Amino acid sequence: MEMWHSPVGSQKSKEAVLYSMKSKKDVQPGTLALMVLKTLDVLGPLHGYGIARRIEQISGDQLFVNQGTLYPVLLRLEQEGAVESDWGPSQNNRRARFYRLTRAGRKLLETEKRDWELTAAIIARFFEVKAEDLA
Amino acid sequence: MRTLNRFLIRLRNLVTGRRGDQRLREELEEHAALQTEENIRAGMHPEEARRRAQLKLGGVESVREQYHAEEGLPLVEHLICDLRFGLRQLKKSPGFAATAVLTLSLGIGGVTAVFSVVYAVLLRPLPYPQASRLVVLHEAMAHFGGAANLSAPDVPVYQRNSHAFTAVAGFIGEGYDVTGAGEPFRADAERVSAQMFPVLGVAPLLGRRFTRQEDENSASVAVISYSLWKERFGGSQHVLGRTIDLDLRPYTIIGVMPRGFETPSGLGAIAAHDLWVPLSLTPTELKNEANDLDYGAVARLKAGVTMAQAQQDAERVLKIIQAKVPEAHLSISLAGLKKQTVQDARPLLRTLLGAVVLILLIACANLANLLLVRAAGRRREFGMRMALGAARKTILRQLLMESLLLSTAGGVAGLGMAAAAVHWAGAVLPGSLPRLGAIAIDWPVALLASGLVGATGVACGLAPALASAKADVLDSLREGGQSTGQGRSQHRLRSALVVGEMALALLLLVGAGLLLRSFARMMETNPGFRPERTVTASVALPKQAYPTQEKVDEFFRNLGARLQELPGVTEVGFGSNIPVVGRNSSRLFAAQDYVRRPGESFSIASNYLTTGEYFRALKIPLIEGRYFSAADDAVGAPLVVIVSQSLAKRYFAGRDPIGMHIKVGPNYQYRMPPMQVVGVVGDVSDNPVGGKQDFEMYEPLSQLAADLGPMGALIGTKGNMHAVVRTTGDPQALEGELRRVVHQANPTLAVTDVQTMEEVMSSTEAPRRFNTWILTSFAAIALGLAMLGIYGVLAYAVTERTREIAIRMALGATRGEVERRTLGGAMALGLMGVGVGLAASVALTRYLASLLYEVKPLDGLTLAGAVVVLLACAATAALLPARRAASVDPMQALRSE
């Protein structure tokens, strides 16, 4: 039972750690939503599994996502009006829930993107700085 | 916006209980299926593929929890859960819950209600801008009474010569028969200086105030009150310029004051009046030097002037007055209007506030006790729950919720009680309290009291739980939650709380006892007359219709004869004053051959002008000489006076007062006609609350003008008299008859204040009755709470020590011994409480002194009585637990452990 209790960002059980292996990185809290938004922006409507796979692919299998945690994030985005969802046929003609970016979602993505870039730029500058630059 | 949207959706989900479980399950299943298929495509064994897929998806339960948390509002859900749990817990012990809520509501409700009254009466600012700058001027005569108002001629002296005030305004109450505004009625009016309105800083709502010129020229203009305007003029704008007749003299209405406007009135009060007219002191009033300190003066301090500077200034002005009447030994003092307004109410309200704070303390102690006992009893439960994996945090949160539930229920009940009490206070509080109309629930205090009690509840509910949560889980289980060191210290704490409660209850008992004894003493006091079977009424003759003394005398003679004919009526008399009512008329007199002690000021007596059988109607006993007779009313009859026993003793010491003479005026050399003392009657002590014995002098109404000599015109003909009618039948039945007869005599007259003399008397007792009653009920509540406390502690101690008791009994202790031991424990607590309480009483009862009558603050009988009552109550409260202890079956108790 223990292994089922391994939400993102929290203390992981031994098995989960084994599975994730050292090369993989935990998703930082809050960034998962951004990844979902960007994925939907680029690829159009997708079901939950599709989103999870794309994120895995795009991150080059370097990220560890406990894929179940995607769904609370999706719900949250939907409540915020950033995405809409509807039932639709999946590849093998079963029913799946498809998520689509709304206009508000696109705007949110823009803002988040700008914030993220700004943060990244600032952090980058800190790493580039050398002692003589500050003299 | 986004956040709000989301919150609303979550709230809706929470309220409707909507859950997307089905959707999530489907999505997760689909997710796993897709992943499995992909894994199989990648060449995995189906079994392994499914396992990997599940692994990658993560814990379904955890996801579901997270999902659900996003869906609704988990914090609220937990709270609701705790709330339900708390309610269930309380429902399981309804006795505890009811006691706690009752205790809380008594504390909160009592404090809120009493403080609301205190706030309205004592603390709320007066309804004037910068009211703290308003002062009242008082003159006093050495060796006589306290500070009084000013004499009429002094008012303009202060107005003209003071530098410390923006203005000084004089005022004096006056009654007028109003005609020309609907049904004739008697108006409660006030003559005020033109400066009154600017000094108070209140402008008329409509029209204007009167000017200084109008004041000086005795202009017939009137400013009316808001309520008179509404009632008599329908709130019409056209009221300005209309004419009304005051005592048949036409006055023009020039202004309407705002709603609720009050003016300073009498000594130490502000009150509403029907209308205001210019003070316009008459030449005769202005002649009346150092007499009748009846004219109020209120002033506003100039900016930057301190009270001390103003006092100096007033003393400087006083020198001008003293130069004219040196023998008056006048002094002047200033008092803040606010301070002055509430002065008389202060001792009563302080006492009430003190009493109610004691109740609050007792309530807190009691609640603490209840919760401590309960928490101690639940240590085992806490231990068990923690052993089963409950987080300490969860247990604390639930306990907190329980305490909050109790506090809320208590608070709501308490506020309900306060609202009811405040509503009902208007009717019950003694009318002598100033500014009663302004009472409303004082919310800050309600919150404060609720907070205090709530905090007690939370602290007492949580502290033991915290302690037991810290203690070893195993220990609390193994010991069965009993007899650890912690238990003992808790027991000590609870005992201390009970001792405190008993002490506080004793304090309240002593207070109530003192007031009860005062009340009894007062009821025993002989007022000097017999109030039973007498009816009084006041009749006012308009001066225009009865301009001369003869006309006035004739009217009352005539009225007396008509009343005398009524069946059952034995005596009829009239007095310008009667005991209690219209008491405030007093005058200077000088006794023949009396030598003033050095520094002694004027002699002052309450004066009564009488006609008819006044003494016989009131049954005021004759000590010496004779009552007045018809012969005294004859034209040119010698001037006569009757004095009270104490006056005779004081001013004719060692001589026979009969045949001695008295003059009206500041000294015997004054050119006033001497009046011969023809009788000495018993003292009339109509207001024992005041305590001080006044002197009385009586004169026949018919001799009024002659008695006063040159000053006769000032007092006038005394057309306002009180009838006193004694009957053999039911005095109440006579009231209608009395009214009818007066109307027969003159249909235009207003008859007011028709009541039996006993009603008149009870109106003076009312404040004391109220004080006594309220403090007694407070004491009863306190006693009840303390009994509850002692019962709680003992009952718990007995349960806790069942095993010990059983062992004792098994070893040979008899049931009687066990019962005595338990009772003994209660008595020990009671005695300790008595000790502390007595010490507190000795320290505190002197603050009650001003409310007591002929009882010392440390009255032995009262103290002893309170102690006996308290111990008896403690014993009663202990009886049940003691019985229970004695009925312990040793075999069963030992086996069940």
Side-chain angles (χ1 to χ4, degrees), chain A residues 3-8 15 19 47-50 52-53 56-57 65-76 78-80 85 87 90-92 94-97 99 108 112, chain B residues 2-3 5-6 9-10 13 22-24 26-28 30-39 51-63 65-68 70-72:
Chain A
M3 64 179 187
W4 301 115
H5 283 278
S6 52
V8 180
E15 235 171 307
Y19 173 75
H47 50 58
Y49 177 70
R53 283 297 292 147
E56 243 177 351
Q57 282 173 0
V65 183
N66 211 334
Q67 291 179 345
T69 56
L70 196 62
Y71 291 92
V73 171
L74 280 169
L75 178 71
R76 189 191 170 115
E78 192 173 347
Q79 283 176 343
E80 287 177 351
S85 72
W87 294 110
S90 65
Q91 289 93 318
N92 36 32
R94 279 191 310 260
R95 208 158 83 117
R97 191 93 185 165
Y99 292 85
L108 178 66
E112 295 278 314
Chain B
R2 271 194 296 133
T3 329
N5 254 341
R6 181 155 179 256
I9 292 170
R10 292 169 82 171
N13 289 344
Q22 176 61 36
R23 167 178 154 185
L24 179 67
E26 223 174 303
E27 282 193 85
L28 289 180
E30 180 59 18
H31 188 116
L34 288 170
Q35 179 75 62
T36 312
E37 280 163 26
E38 188 157 328
N39 285 352
R51 201 183 77 83
R52 281 291 180 89
Q54 286 296 353
L55 216 49
K56 211 164 179 187
L57 192 58
V60 175
E61 261 322 301
S62 136
V63 167
E65 249 172 49
Q66 278 182 52
Y67 192 82
H68 187 62
E70 292 289 342
E71 230 179 350

Side-chain angles (χ1 to χ4, degrees), chain B residues 210-231:
Chain B
F210 30 84
T211 62
R212 266 180 132 118
Q213 284 73 24
E214 282 168 327
D215 188 3
E216 279 158 20
N217 302 333
S218 310
S220 297
V221 288
V223 171
I224 63 171
S225 73
Y226 186 87
S227 53
L228 189 70
W229 179 49
K230 283 281 176 202
E231 279 165 29

Side-chain angles (χ1 to χ4, degrees), chain B residues 310-321:
Chain B
Q311 173 74 32
Q312 274 178 4
D313 188 50
E315 277 165 14
R316 182 183 55 76
V317 179
L318 181 71
K319 293 220 170 71
I320 304 172
I321 296 164

